[in-house]
Amino acid sequence: MSGDGADLPICVTCGVQYAEPREDCPICLDDRQYVGWDGQRWTTLAELRAGEHTGRIEDEGPDVVGVGVTPSFAIGQRALLLRTAHGNVLWDCVPYLDDDMIARVRELGGISAIAISHPHYYSTIVEWSEVFGAPVYVHASDERWLGRRGPRIELWKGGSHELAPGLTLLNTGVHFAGGSVLHWRDAENGRGALFSGDIFQVVMDRRWVSFMRSYPNLIPERPRVVRRAVEMVRPYAFDKVYGAWWRRIVPEDGAAAVQRSAERYLEWVADD
């Protein structure tokens, strides 16, 4: 296995890897996250590989492959490998990576680019980037949250960035200033799909999404930010919305689901 970060510290609560040992995790000290109830705890990739964790790779949709870890670790998100005509894109990331996962992903065509929705999913992005030789696209507004920097991290600016034809990153500003979603025009046989992480959170009633500054601490997102975000995605057609956890997918009519979800959200956060 290539990469040299097996012994670097990973926060047990959020799963983000840092370039050197430290006493605290800035991401967990922020009001969007939290320090674990037993205090700040650390692990490493080497320790995770030596324990009970293994990779989980299985289909989540047409040409969309879920990449995760079992048993669940840290926040518990799964990433998504988008198998596009312009190369595979890894949307978001997970802290765990081992030889079996590397072999499986290479069998699926490897990774041409990695794109991250927000800092809670920075995880081990440098490890993934080095192993697959892929650039990592992070919005410049969230640069200060990078716990480890690598030579292939690409900071993008502005409201949108085209990774490849039909693959567009959109900086909505929800959850974090750089909080972004990814639109894939050609997904779902041309009907399109939106990959939202928890920027637009697919909720338990999967006909809907929601918008929060903090999920664990239940801090709602500002109405003006939500209004801007849904206007930003309005021109884009998409049938499905892929959220951040296994099977958290709006299965159809996704563009309308985002718009009506924003209307419902704004109705309930408005001052009577």
Side-chain angles (χ1 to χ4, degrees), residues 32-259:
R32 281 162 284 211
Q33 185 57 12
Y34 62 95
V35 177
W37 292 5
D38 296 323
Q40 180 62 55
R41 297 168 56 212
W42 300 98
T43 188
T44 66
L45 261 178
E47 290 176 352
L48 292 172
R49 290 169 184 156
E52 61 181 340
H53 290 92
T54 59
R56 176 182 174 186
I57 297 179
E58 57 189 65
D59 289 344
E60 280 279 74
D63 292 319
V64 178
V65 180
V67 178
V69 55
T70 186
S72 180
F73 173 71
I75 293 174
Q77 79 275 12
R78 58 98 175 87
L80 292 167
L81 188 70
L82 284 52
R83 305 183 70 192
T84 87
H86 305 284
N88 291 351
V89 174
L90 185 69
W91 170 244
D92 279 329
C93 197
V94 294
Y96 189 73
L97 180 64
D98 64 18
D99 287 332
D100 287 342
M101 293 176 75
I102 293 169
R104 291 283 304 281
V105 170
R106 284 179 173 156
E107 288 172 2
L108 293 168
I111 298 173
S112 298
I114 301 169
I116 306 295
S117 63
H118 72 289
H120 290 158
Y121 299 160
Y122 285 173
S123 59
T124 54
I125 53 174
V126 174
E127 290 295 307
W128 284 81
S129 173
E130 292 301 298
V131 165
F132 291 100
V136 183
Y137 291 88
V138 169
H139 197 275
S141 295
D142 290 338
E143 179 183 8
R144 71 186 183 96
W145 298 104
L146 286 167
R148 183 184 175 198
R149 297 169 183 264
R152 294 182 174 88
I153 290 180
E154 301 281 348
L155 298 173
W156 64 280
K157 299 180 180 180
S160 65
H161 178 77
E162 190 174 63
L163 289 177
L167 288 161
T168 307
L169 286 166
L170 299 168
N171 172 220
T172 69
V174 173
H175 197 32
F176 276 80
S180 300
V181 298
L182 175 62
H183 180 258
W184 182 10
R185 180 192 61 203
D186 300 329
E188 309 298 322
N189 294 316
R191 296 189 301 276
L194 191 73
F195 299 84
S196 67
D198 58 5
I199 303 304
F200 298 169
Q201 173 78 292
V202 178
V203 295
M204 293 301 288
D205 182 345
R206 295 177 297 174
R207 299 172 300 167
W208 303 84
V209 301
S210 195
F211 318 87
M212 298 287 276
R213 174 177 172 83
S214 169
Y215 292 96
N217 299 322
L218 302 179
I219 305 172
E221 186 52 89
R222 294 157 293 180
R224 64 178 174 82
V225 173
V226 174
R227 291 189 186 99
R228 175 184 175 275
V230 297
E231 284 304 310
M232 179 173 285
V233 302
R234 192 184 294 275
Y236 295 87
F238 51 94
D239 197 41
K240 282 187 179 180
V241 181
Y242 287 84
W245 280 269
W246 294 102
R247 299 183 64 196
R248 289 288 192 101
I249 301 166
V250 177
E252 60 186 3
D253 203 23
V258 167
Q259 298 298 324

